[in-house]
Structure formats: structure tokens, C-alpha cells
Amino acid sequence: MLWFVVINIIGYVVMSEDKNKARKRRERVPEKTLFLLAAMGGALGVLIAMYRKRHKTRHMSFRIGIPLLLLLNIFLYSYFLR
């Protein structure tokens, strides 16, 4: 459970920081890094940040990929936490 909390906080913070960097036109976080964080179990944090910060919501790969990774996270967490 600790991993779930930590990785989702990290996912949320990294997604939020990428939005701030986008506004300031600074070097951005690669999209593959955001997907990797989501695949490692942080999909919920990335998804929440995505919609709260309105970041990457126009990208079809994020609108479909992150929710799919969230479903995968739910399946894997439920399997391993039994």
C-alpha cells in the first residue's frame, strides 16, 4: 500500500510540474516518462493531475492510455494485495 501512495503522489507531482514547465516554455518531462510512472502503478495520480491541471487532455494517447493503465493498475494491485 505504501508503494501505491508514493508512486501516485510522484505521478501527480511530475504531471503538475510538466504543466508548470509548459506554461513557462521550459524543458518538459518526456511523455514516455509520464506513461512509465502510470505503468509503474501511478496511473491514478497521473489521471487526477491530468484533469485537475487540464494537462495533456487533448492528446488521444493520454485520454485513452492513462485510463487503460489505471485499469491495469487496479487489476495488478488487487491481484498482489490479496
Side-chain angles (χ1 to χ4, degrees):
M1 283 307 285
L2 181 61
W3 175 255
F4 172 77
V5 173
V6 171
I7 195 67
N8 279 288
I9 289 171
I10 291 170
Y12 183 89
V13 168
V14 170
M15 190 71 151
S16 297
E17 282 300 309
D18 188 49
K19 176 64 175 190
N20 290 335
K21 288 179 179 184
R23 285 184 185 150
K24 296 176 184 177
R25 300 189 189 277
R26 295 215 171 130
E27 187 175 339
R28 306 278 303 281
V29 176
E31 289 184 357
K32 67 180 178 179
T33 301
L34 298 171
F35 276 108
L36 181 61
L37 284 169
M40 291 173 57
L44 182 61
V46 171
L47 186 69
I48 291 170
M50 191 170 112
Y51 284 103
R52 284 192 81 197
K53 305 292 181 175
R54 293 188 179 124
H55 187 50
K56 303 282 188 189
T57 55
R58 292 185 183 185
H59 296 260
M60 193 61 70
S61 60
F62 277 84
R63 288 188 6 218
I64 294 172
I66 299 300
L68 287 176
L69 286 171
L70 178 60
L71 290 175
L72 178 64
N73 286 183
I74 291 167
F75 173 76
L76 291 174
Y77 280 125
S78 65
Y79 179 78
F80 287 113
L81 292 177
R82 273 197 254 168

